[in-house]
């Protein structure tokens, strides 16, 4: 049982494992929910816990029995509904870190770097301390000794008031190791203003990866609020098919402006994809699979599929064609499967092990036809050709899934989607009627 006076810094709590009373892992802490009041210290009411399946749920602090080094112990009762932030609630990691506040003694402004919550005698957890860094009035943070302060919460003004332009460096540092899809989930759950602030703080490559995982309305909102030159840079960093899908959601005038700002070679592929119907092989495909000539050695081909920017689906096949090897290529010959290359001598050419039986799909083939062929032959990707059998690109299984799933699949609560992937005691649902508080 946590004792009265237990003090916990939220930034250090993030990522901590949550266990139930018998020691089974429930999930990991991702944030702390507080109520910032007009008078008195803000009250912490619960934890945002990420459970298996990347779902984030709410764990009331009244069901936390202990907060020790490296672990949080809960009662085991957990409401499995997806966490939805209420208007009166503030999440510390997502909204308070990097917020600019005034110091009550009149000595200037400071930026919040951490918040401490402390258990009171009545069982409440209150925000009692704020760790801040002074802000240089000339711009930027002070870099001299004494620049950081741990102050009582009553010594800061404006904790509940969003800054005009809130930074995101501290928040992103906490999520540095997250995969793009997981960071996309974090952004999607934020308020629109905070989402734009955090997205703008990402570098172009990271933002491109995250945008590819976000719902279309979030993509459009983020891209539309970036400076035009930067928006074009981010589109260039995206996969051509994802960039084309995003541009297709924008007004024609805005899409044309961004295409004009992109590098000509990058824009060329995207323009080509925009010409195809959305639910056809041409609209689904990427123009950048691994394409090699038949004389390439297996060793060289394996080096190509090791590229970090390739998805596992596209890395499963090498597409063999006559020069030119940039899409649209010369005549399509066939494919070489990754597993086959691993079984053959590395000095052999891929032309000797090419699979010519795999029939490509036409660029205007409908989604259902592409899906059926992928499923029939247990493939992760398919070649797409034109009437002259020139290779235009490849459709991967993840592109098909994005179009088969309902548009709101990211928001759909999948708690009843199937049998649990962990023993039942690990994640327990609360009895009917148990809600926050």
């Amino acid at each position: 049982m946590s004792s009265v006076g237990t003090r916990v810094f939220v930034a250090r709590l993030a990522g901590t494992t949550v266990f139930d009373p018998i020691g089974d892992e429930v999930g990991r802490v991702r944030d702390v929910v507080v109520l910032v009041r007009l008078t008195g210290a803000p009250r912490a009411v619960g934890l945002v816990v990420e459970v298996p399946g990347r779902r984030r749920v709410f764990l009331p602090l009244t069901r936390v029995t202990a907060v020790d080094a490296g672990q949080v112990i809960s009662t085991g009762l957990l409401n499995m509904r997806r966490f939805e932030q209420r208007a009166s609630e503030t999440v510390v990691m997502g909204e308070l870190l990097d917020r600019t506040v005034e110091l009550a003694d009149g000595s200037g402004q400071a930026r919040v770097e951490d918040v401490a919550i402390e258990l009171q005698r009545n069982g409440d957890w209150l925000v009692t301390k704020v760790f801040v860094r002074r802000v240089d009035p000339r711009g930027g943070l002070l870099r001299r000794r004494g620049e950081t302060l741990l102050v009582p919460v009553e010594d800061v003004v404006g904790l509940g008031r969003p800054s005009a332009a809130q930074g995101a460096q501290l928040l992103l540092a906490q999520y540095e190791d997250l995969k793009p899809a997981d960071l996309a989930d974090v952004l999607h759950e934020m308020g629109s203003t905070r989402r734009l602030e955090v997205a703008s703080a990402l570098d172009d490559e990271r933002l491109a990866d995250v945008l590819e995982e976000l719902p279309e309305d979030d993509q459009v909102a983020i891209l539309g609020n970036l400076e035009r030159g930067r928006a074009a840079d981010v589109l260039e960093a995206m996969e051509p098919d994802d960039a084309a899908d995003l541009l297709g959601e924008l007004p024609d005038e805005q899409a044309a402006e961004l295409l004009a700002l992109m590098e000509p070679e990058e824009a060329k592929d995207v323009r080509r994809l925009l010409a195809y119907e959305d639910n056809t092989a041409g609209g689904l495909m990427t123009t950048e699979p691994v394409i090699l000539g038949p004389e390439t050695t297996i060793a060289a081909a394996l080096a190509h599929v090791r590229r970090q920017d390739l998805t596992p689906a596209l890395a499963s096949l090498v597409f063999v064609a006559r020069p030119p090897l940039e899409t649209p290529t010369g005549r399509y010959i066939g494919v070489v499967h990754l597993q086959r290359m691993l079984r053959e001598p590395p000095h052999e050419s891929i032309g000797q092990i090419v699979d010519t039986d795999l029939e490509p799909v036409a660029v205007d083939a409908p989604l259902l036809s592409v899906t059926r062929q992928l499923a029939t032959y247990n493939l992760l990707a398919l070649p797409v050709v034109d009437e002259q059998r020139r290779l235009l690109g490849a459709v991967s299984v993840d592109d098909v899934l994005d179009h088969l799933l309902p548009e709101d699949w990211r928001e759909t609560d999948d708690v009843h989607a199937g049998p649990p992937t962990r023993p039942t005691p690990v994640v327990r649902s609360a009895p009917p009627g148990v809600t926050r508080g």
Side-chain angles (χ1 to χ4, degrees):
M1 192 80 177
S2 294
S3 59
V4 172
T6 297
R7 180 185 297 171
V8 179
F9 284 90
V10 173
R12 298 177 188 174
L13 184 63
T16 300
T17 304
V18 180
F19 295 95
D20 68 8
I22 61 175
D24 286 327
E25 181 178 334
V26 172
R28 289 185 179 273
V29 178
R30 291 305 181 196
D31 218 321
V32 175
V33 181
V34 300
L35 302 178
V36 181
R37 300 174 286 187
L38 294 176
T39 59
R43 183 166 68 92
V45 293
L47 308 176
V48 180
V49 177
E50 185 175 288
V51 298
R54 292 197 343 227
R55 186 190 296 110
R56 296 187 175 214
V57 301
F58 182 79
L59 173 62
L61 279 170
T62 54
R63 298 207 175 90
V64 171
T65 58
V67 181
D68 299 321
Q71 63 179 10
V72 172
I73 309 298
S74 72
T75 61
L77 294 175
L78 197 63
N79 191 317
M80 292 303 293
R81 286 199 301 270
R82 188 178 295 273
F83 169 68
E84 293 183 6
Q85 186 178 348
R86 297 172 178 172
S88 59
E89 296 172 341
T90 301
V91 285
V92 175
M93 297 294 299
E95 297 176 321
L96 287 190
L97 295 195
D98 285 306
R99 181 166 291 185
T100 301
V101 294
E102 301 282 343
L103 295 174
D105 62 5
S107 61
Q109 293 183 324
R111 190 161 297 160
V112 177
E113 295 204 345
D114 206 348
V115 167
I117 59 174
E118 195 166 330
L119 182 61
Q120 309 298 302
R121 292 187 180 279
N122 63 358
D124 286 346
W125 287 84
L126 298 182
V127 175
T128 57
K129 300 284 185 180
V130 185
F131 184 70
V132 299
R133 186 182 298 274
R134 289 186 183 274
V135 175
D136 189 336
R138 296 167 297 181
L141 297 178
L142 294 171
R143 297 299 179 192
R144 60 177 181 268
R145 187 178 179 183
E147 60 186 354
T148 57
L149 302 167
L150 181 62
V151 298
V153 66
E154 57 268 19
D155 286 356
V156 298
V157 179
L159 193 63
R161 183 179 65 248
S163 308
Q166 188 174 348
Q169 287 76 18
L170 292 174
L171 174 65
L172 291 178
Q174 297 292 328
Y175 295 136
E176 185 177 5
D177 296 331
L178 286 187
K179 294 179 180 178
D182 296 332
L183 183 54
D185 283 345
V186 173
L187 261 65
H188 179 64
E189 292 172 2
M190 292 179 176
S192 57
T193 300
R194 188 58 175 151
R195 184 185 305 124
L196 294 175
E197 291 169 345
V198 175
S200 298
L202 294 168
D203 62 52
D204 291 348
E205 293 286 342
R206 181 75 159 155
L207 179 54
D209 291 340
V210 170
L211 279 178
E212 292 172 359
E213 305 295 339
L214 281 168
E216 290 174 351
D217 52 349
D218 289 346
Q219 291 180 332
V220 170
I222 290 171
L223 196 75
N225 279 273
L226 295 177
E227 184 270 325
R228 287 291 182 262
R230 189 178 179 214
D233 291 341
V234 172
L235 285 168
E236 289 174 4
M238 295 177 70
E239 291 296 319
D241 53 327
D242 290 308
D245 288 343
L246 176 48
L247 285 170
E249 297 297 319
L250 299 176
D252 292 344
E253 184 177 340
Q254 186 179 354
E257 180 186 359
L258 291 173
L259 277 168
L261 290 172
M262 293 173 66
E263 291 293 329
E265 281 300 311
E266 300 287 347
K268 182 178 68 174
D269 286 340
V270 177
R271 290 181 194 276
R272 206 151 42 87
L273 291 170
L274 285 168
Y276 301 117
E277 292 293 329
D278 190 38
N279 286 325
T280 63
L284 295 168
M285 72 181 180
T286 177
T287 57
E288 296 181 347
V290 177
I291 306 170
L292 299 173
E295 72 286 348
T296 307
T297 65
I298 290 174
L302 288 172
H304 279 278
V305 299
R306 290 191 188 101
R307 281 170 24 202
Q308 288 190 354
D309 60 322
L310 281 180
T311 63
L314 289 178
S316 68
L317 291 176
V318 169
F319 298 87
V320 185
R322 299 294 182 189
L325 300 179
E326 295 289 330
T327 55
T329 68
R331 184 174 63 87
Y332 165 74
I333 297 174
V335 300
V336 177
H337 301 272
L338 174 61
Q339 287 187 332
R340 178 69 187 274
M341 287 192 290
L342 293 173
R343 293 195 294 263
E344 300 294 335
H347 62 271
E348 297 285 354
S349 68
I350 60 174
Q352 297 183 42
I353 58 171
V354 66
D355 178 0
T356 57
D357 294 333
L358 176 60
E359 278 299 311
V361 293
V363 70
D364 58 354
L367 173 61
L368 183 59
S369 175
V370 174
T371 306
R372 184 181 293 115
Q373 190 158 341
L374 284 168
T376 300
Y377 298 105
N378 297 316
L379 296 170
L380 296 178
L382 272 175
V384 181
V385 298
D386 62 11
E387 294 177 351
Q388 289 77 43
R389 283 184 69 86
R390 297 182 303 168
L391 184 65
L392 301 179
V395 178
S396 60
V397 68
D398 49 323
D399 295 321
V400 171
L401 280 174
D402 281 343
H403 284 73
L404 289 178
L405 289 168
E407 291 185 4
D408 62 345
W409 67 269
R410 290 177 176 85
E411 291 84 26
T412 302
D413 194 340
D414 56 357
V415 71
H416 298 301
T421 57
R422 302 175 61 89
T424 303
V426 173
V427 179
R428 297 184 175 89
S429 296
V434 175
T435 56
R436 298 189 200 172

